[in-house]
Amino acid sequence: MNPDFLLGIASVAGVSMIIAAVRAIFVRDLLSAIILVGFVSLTASVLFFLMDAPDVAITEASIGAGISTVIFLWGRSKVREE
Amino acid sequence: MRTFIAFLLALYLVFFAAAAFESFGEPQGLGRIAEHYAAEGFEEVGAINLVTAVVVTYRGLDTLGEVSVLFTAASAVILLLSVFPLGKPANKPSSIVLLTMKVLPGPILLFGGYIIAHGHLTPGGGFPGGAVVASAALLVLLGCTQEVGFAKWLTFAESMAGFSFAMLGFWGLLKLGQFLNNSVLFLGIPGQLLSAGIIPLISAAIGVKVASELSGILVAYRCGGGKE
Amino acid sequence: MSLSLVLLLSSMGLLLTGLVGIMAKKHLLRIALAFTLASTGVNILLVWTGYLAGRKAPIIDASIEEIATVAVVDPVPQALVLTSIVIGVAVSALLVVVAVLTSRELGTADVRRMRNLKW
Amino acid sequence: MSNTFSLILLVLLGAGFAMAFIRLVIARTAGDRAVALDGATLISVDLMVLMAFLMGRSMLLDVVLVYALLSFLGVLAIARYLEGGL
């Protein structure tokens, strides 16, 4: 096994995670922010997988993919703004 | 300007965290407790997956407390939504959602059961398996427009799971003088499905509890609290 | 650049971004989103404290040849983070409910326009 | 031989992930973002399979299975929201 490969995957995942997080904070549309937070959760799951924590990766994937997204989408549709 | 000030403040806080980690230094090996878990856990508990062993038996009392925290948050959500009910959608789902809702919950439920049951052998255990089962419930709830049938069983399942977790702990206390002692059942051969003492039972209890609490939150979101 | 440093920097960056969002944003749901980001960053940081480069996942099966003490990473932070994630999603559900009910009560979700809070 | 093979796979998957990610960041509408999220999810499933191969543990494939089964749910929820049913 070549450790440089894992370093490359970690760099790609980490850099894209931070860029997506910054964009999620500063994007104007709230629905786009929710989708970007879902992407951050995905890359966090890849990083947990890389850090030899498969249990944590399963939990993060199953929580971040479905339940967290649905909670925020529900809030977006029920919040009242004038 | 406000963002810049917030950035400086956050940088200050994160710098504190980085300084604290700097004083730890780069870890060279396992800590004292983790070394004991890695060296003795295989014989003491009989589980292959050390993380499940730590969650369920070594730190089982902490897990009981954490599950109580989860219960508090879920019941706060359900209470708020039953006092201040919001409207629910009357929109019919499109055919893709309807077909997915009929086909996919079965396999997801089966896979969640696999993750819970094999918690001591492969990655998984109570918490991830409960989240997967709650995802199957979420899929059913996405497509429905009226009350769902399983909603009234959630409270019963949740309380029975919590009760059996505590009772399994007290069994060890009565028989061997130690809360959540794993040796009250036979340990078996590590690597087989029926091994590792009471770890599969406690995993099942945690899984049912987590799944019913997360599904309770989602049902409250869909149906406005309902009759708890 | 080593693998460990890359992981540490990405978790610190995510924590920083989440804190900036919590402090600088004014919409209640955006604050809840930034809270989720910060808690993910903290989770990665906690798992990083138990990571040892070159070792394997803490599952002792046939593919681990040496003694387990020198072959696996630290299982204790992973066990803590496992529960922390599930509790985090319940807490963010509570945050979203409070945000929605506040916006229904006051007519707005913007923190600057909530005049009725002073009494 | 295995190293070259892994390197080629890594470069291809990294390029695909980067393209999906760029589309995710500079998308014009939210629907574009949802499709880009789905693409990035599929490519990262492949990336995780490659990582399990590099680490030499077949046990880690359980994680990939969960991810491939459940990542569909987020996109489905976004679609259900866009048709007004959440």
Side-chain angles (χ1 to χ4, degrees):
Chain A
M1 180 189 94
N2 196 341
D4 288 346
F5 291 165
L6 295 184
L7 179 63
I9 295 175
S11 309
V12 169
V15 169
S16 60
M17 180 175 79
I18 291 177
I19 292 175
V22 172
R23 189 90 173 97
I25 293 292
F26 292 110
V27 75
R28 183 161 299 169
D29 184 19
L30 189 53
L31 180 57
S32 301
I34 294 169
I35 297 172
L36 283 165
V37 169
F39 180 79
V40 169
S41 165
L42 180 150
T43 42
S45 174
V46 174
L47 284 185
F48 284 136
F49 191 89
L50 199 77
M51 284 192 272
D52 289 322
D55 304 80
V56 187
I58 287 183
T59 314
E60 179 75 35
S62 57
I63 290 286
I67 298 175
S68 176
T69 311
V70 166
I71 283 171
F72 282 108
L73 284 175
W74 179 86
R76 168 84 173 83
S77 73
K78 287 285 191 275
V79 78
R80 183 178 295 165
E81 296 171 275
E82 278 137 28
Chain B
M1 186 59 203
R2 183 186 288 109
T3 310
F4 184 67
I5 294 174
F7 178 73
L8 285 185
L9 272 174
L11 201 62
Y12 182 63
L13 287 176
V14 173
F15 179 73
F16 257 124
F21 277 108
E22 186 70 35
S23 68
F24 283 167
E26 185 90 2
Q28 295 302 323
L30 296 180
R32 200 156 49 87
I33 301 172
E35 196 161 339
H36 174 79
Y37 292 162
E40 311 285 334
F42 195 65
E43 281 85 24
E44 267 181 11
V45 181
I48 287 180
N49 189 349
L50 285 180
V51 178
T52 306
V54 171
V55 166
V56 169
T57 57
Y58 286 121
R59 298 278 165 191
L61 195 58
D62 300 355
T63 306
L64 198 57
E66 279 152 356
V67 168
S68 316
V69 172
L70 186 62
F71 170 70
T72 311
S75 52
V77 170
I78 293 170
L79 179 69
L80 276 176
L81 283 179
S82 58
V83 172
F84 306 100
L86 307 173
K88 59 182 171 187
N91 187 341
K92 283 269 183 207
S94 62
S95 59
I96 296 177
V97 179
L98 213 56
L99 185 66
T100 315
M101 166 196 165
K102 280 174 187 160
V103 173
L104 214 50
I108 293 180
L109 212 57
L110 186 66
F111 197 64
Y114 162 76
I115 288 177
I116 292 176
H118 287 243
H120 53 298
L121 301 179
T122 57
F127 283 96
V132 173
V133 172
S135 299
L138 165 68
L139 192 54
V140 173
L141 286 169
L142 267 185
C144 75
T145 52
Q146 68 268 20
E147 299 275 326
V148 286
F150 63 84
K152 57 178 171 293
W153 294 104
L154 286 179
T155 320
F156 178 70
E158 193 272 329
S159 47
M160 283 317 289
F163 179 72
S164 57
F165 188 177
M167 281 305 116
L168 282 169
F170 279 120
W171 188 18
L173 189 64
L174 288 179
K175 194 172 169 189
L176 293 170
Q178 189 185 9
F179 192 74
L180 275 176
N181 195 318
N182 196 33
S183 310
V184 292
L185 278 181
F186 72 105
L187 286 186
I189 305 161
Q192 288 185 348
L193 183 57
L194 288 178
S195 67
I198 56 173
I199 285 181
L201 296 177
I202 299 179
S203 282
I206 294 174
V208 170
K209 200 162 164 63
V210 169
S212 57
E213 274 155 4
L214 291 181
S215 325
I217 290 177
L218 295 169
V219 167
Y221 274 11
R222 287 298 284 192
C223 309
K227 297 160 283 294
E228 276 295 320
Chain C
M1 292 297 270
S2 67
L3 182 55
S4 175
L5 187 62
V6 169
L7 295 170
L8 177 64
L9 283 182
S10 49
S11 72
M12 287 283 183
L14 198 57
L15 178 59
L16 188 67
T17 315
L19 285 177
V20 169
I22 289 174
M23 285 192 267
K25 287 289 148 181
K26 277 141 320 213
H27 194 283
L28 287 176
L29 282 180
R30 284 180 187 270
I31 294 176
L33 277 175
F35 172 79
T36 309
L37 287 181
S39 82
T40 308
V42 170
N43 287 338
I44 297 176
L45 190 58
L46 281 178
V47 174
W48 178 83
T49 59
Y51 177 65
L52 298 162
R55 294 196 180 194
K56 292 184 169 180
I59 299 169
I60 305 172
D61 60 351
S63 74
I64 289 184
E65 288 100 6
E66 308 99 338
I67 307 165
T69 320
V70 294
V72 299
V73 300
D74 199 342
V76 181
Q78 300 185 13
L80 295 179
V81 169
L82 199 64
T83 55
S84 158
I85 290 175
V86 179
I87 290 175
V89 76
V91 169
S92 70
L94 188 58
L95 277 179
V96 168
V97 169
V98 170
V100 167
L101 291 179
T102 309
S103 78
R104 294 254 164 161
E105 185 71 27
L106 300 179
T108 177
D110 196 336
V111 179
R112 284 169 303 180
R113 292 172 59 202
M114 291 181 180
R115 308 229 176 268
N116 299 347
L117 288 180
K118 296 179 189 161
W119 51 281
Chain D
M1 178 289 224
S2 171
N3 256 351
T4 322
F5 183 62
S6 307
L7 186 63
I8 292 170
L9 274 182
L10 196 63
V11 168
L12 285 177
L13 289 176
F17 189 81
M19 280 189 254
F21 172 67
I22 288 169
R23 193 58 195 160
L24 188 83
V25 169
I26 61 164
R28 202 167 290 124
T29 63
D32 282 0
R33 275 184 220 275
V35 176
L37 175 68
D38 205 14
T41 303
L42 287 177
I43 295 169
S44 72
V45 164
D46 295 350
L47 214 56
M48 281 156 102
V49 172
L50 181 64
M51 271 152 58
F53 170 67
L54 286 179
M55 294 175 183
R57 310 283 308 261
S58 64
M59 191 165 278
L60 299 179
L61 289 177
D62 272 14
V63 183
V64 189
L65 214 53
V66 172
Y67 205 89
L69 198 58
L70 291 186
S71 65
F72 177 62
L73 263 181
V75 182
L76 195 74
I78 293 165
R80 186 88 174 102
Y81 171 77
L82 287 178
E83 73 180 20
L86 205 71

